[in-house]
Amino acid sequence: MLWASTDSQASSWDQLAVERGNLADLNVQCTICGRYHATADHLKYMADMPQDPTDLIDDLVKMRFYQSDAVSIASRISQAELRTALFVKMAANGNPKRERLVNELIQLAGGLDEAFAAAFGPKSGEFFTDAQRTGQFTRRKFLRNIAVGAALVTLANCASRPENPEGAADLPPAEVGDLEKTDLNIAFLPITCATPIIMSKPLGFYEKYGLNVTLKKYAGWSVVRDAVIAGELDASHMLAPMPIAMSLGLGSTAFSTKLASIENNNGQGIAVANKHLGKVNGPADFKGMTIGIPYDYSNHNLLLRYYLATGGIDPDKDVKLLILPPPDAIAKMKAEQIDAFILPDNFTQRVVRDDIGFIHLLTKDLWPGHPCCAFTASQAWIDEHPNTFRVLNKAIIDGATYANKPENRKEIAAAIAPREFLNQPVDVLEAVMTGKFEDGQGNTLDEPDRIYFDPYPWKSFATWISNQLVRWDYMTPEQADYDEIGETIFMTDLARELATELGAEVPQDVTRIEKLKFDTLDPQNATEYIERQQKEYGV
């Protein structure tokens, strides 16, 4: 979070500005941190500016701009020029990118006077006038004030430009009708799969539909499941197989849960620890390894099993599958507690960035276009809040449609990067979102479909998931009424209707032939599909 890595830090900066008389007239509230500055500015500058005021001060201390330099400049240029020169020189620290950023900040603020008024109060001119006249710069005070100035330039910008910034945040209000509830709690895990649910907060999609959403971060899927059953949440980010498992009572008490729309397609990968580099070329090479998965009822688990079986590996005997919260995976691989994992690509890419592991494959190469996560709600909540559910689903589909456009991916990477969301470096998220990345094996890849965001919930997704749950004994054959599962749990018709209202092109079919790396699923012959797999691979 820009200039506010904790609530106490944010409060101290806001309080400083209030004491200097600068926030009284601000009327734009940031939807990320709740402070008074424009959300778009928060997102735009957070990736390039230090994340804590002390970081900027450290930068400033390293600069070579001494008192004699200031006095010499002061004798030759105007007060306005001096202010600009001092600010740009000190804040940019010789970095051309930062210098351009600082100049842009000044322009956006409406001039340096407005920027320094926000930082130093209405008497800011006296500071520089005295310095020009006497040459007496107090270095400690000057560095402190410059740090404050850099932190508050964006606030000055917001004060002088109360209108909405360009981009996704400039969304006209939608007609939503009467809503049963507008203050909503929605669960998410800090993974790129949750992109539409997360980005709809900072980029204004919830607000567009009159919703005040609080995003609640969870570390693991079983905790999310239990919170939904306990009624602690209004809706939730879930793995695509979870509504099936919950509705059928697999692993928990049966609790009717609906899959309203898909959050992401592809976007997962198998990462392997560097000690195995050059030794893993196919599924058979995983024999004897400990492999992390996020949850039993996940496509990660099902796709990993599908892959291992093609190499003659019995996933229940020849490897150890360890359920772990996704945020723990990197530390466990670094500590050599796991050999590999299959998880969202913000984690596979992070182990490459941190030189802990390498990417063995992307799951899109196993099942192109497969679903990973979904937006879900319980049947009970939907029944009690039908209008709110419809509008919330529409807001998320709207956000997913925006996220599906490649030109928006970098903006979205910045929007979901902050600590309260994914807490990941922007460059890692950009590598996932754009598909331009290093794989840790010396290759630079360009895979535009590494992840994408098509909200349409094909019922054939439900068929493959249910089919593989039967294959691996999570579900009995008697429970596997494939048509009934797809019809009652996947809300395909509603998703089509909402997407059509948004002007999107939407399929009219509800199922399709699912083409995977090693075989093809015809939803009309799901039972035969399992039999063929077991006959060919022995499991």
Side-chain angles (χ1 to χ4, degrees), residues 467-535:
N467 183 277
Q468 296 302 289
L469 290 173
V470 172
R471 180 185 183 187
W472 301 110
D473 297 326
Y474 291 103
M475 180 193 297
T476 67
E478 292 72 27
Q479 291 174 298
D481 187 335
Y482 300 117
D483 290 340
E484 179 70 11
I485 290 171
E487 185 63 32
T488 60
I489 298 174
F490 276 45
M491 305 185 75
T492 308
D493 292 339
L494 177 60
R496 182 194 305 111
E497 180 182 338
L498 296 176
T500 300
E501 290 176 5
L502 292 167
E505 296 184 8
V506 192
Q508 296 305 305
D509 293 334
V510 297
T511 65
R512 65 184 184 184
I513 301 296
E514 298 295 343
K515 298 179 180 179
L516 288 83
K517 181 177 178 65
F518 301 106
D519 50 38
T520 298
L521 168 68
D522 180 347
Q524 301 305 314
N525 297 300
T527 300
E528 183 273 335
Y529 178 69
I530 295 180
E531 293 172 351
R532 179 160 34 95
Q533 288 179 323
Q534 291 174 333
K535 180 179 180 179

Side-chain angles (χ1 to χ4, degrees), residues 28 38-41 157 161-171:
V28 178
T39 299
D41 294 331
N157 169 43
R161 275 197 316 134
E163 68 275 11
N164 287 332
E166 296 181 359
D170 191 16
L171 299 173

Side-chain angles (χ1 to χ4, degrees), residues 100 130 164 317 403 423 493:
R100 290 193 298 272
D130 291 344
N164 287 332
K317 296 179 181 179
N423 193 27
D493 292 339

Side-chain angles (χ1 to χ4, degrees), residues 220-242:
W221 292 110
S222 60
V223 184
V224 170
R225 176 201 63 198
D226 293 345
V228 170
I229 293 174
E232 298 171 3
L233 299 164
D234 296 294
S236 180
H237 165 215
M238 283 188 184
L239 298 161
M242 285 178 66

Side-chain angles (χ1 to χ4, degrees), residues 196 200 205-206 209 211 390-400:
S200 292
F205 287 93
Y206 294 132
Y209 290 89
L211 301 172
R390 180 185 178 92
V391 167
L392 177 58
N393 195 10
K394 188 173 184 178
I396 291 173
I397 290 174
D398 198 357

Side-chain angles (χ1 to χ4, degrees), residues 129-157:
T129 302
D130 291 344
Q132 272 189 297
R133 183 177 64 251
T134 66
Q136 295 177 353
F137 274 70
T138 303
R139 181 172 177 78
R140 182 182 299 273
K141 181 178 179 181
F142 182 77
L143 292 177
R144 184 195 66 196
N145 285 354
I146 289 294
V148 175
L152 297 180
V153 160
T154 302
L155 297 181
N157 169 43

Side-chain angles (χ1 to χ4, degrees), residues 282-310:
D285 298 323
F286 286 88
K287 188 171 184 176
M289 289 191 184
T290 298
I291 307 173
I293 61 173
Y295 198 52
D296 279 335
Y297 304 103
S298 68
N299 275 341
H300 308 80
N301 180 30
L302 300 179
L303 282 170
L304 178 65
R305 288 170 173 271
Y306 169 85
Y307 177 57
L308 294 175
T310 65

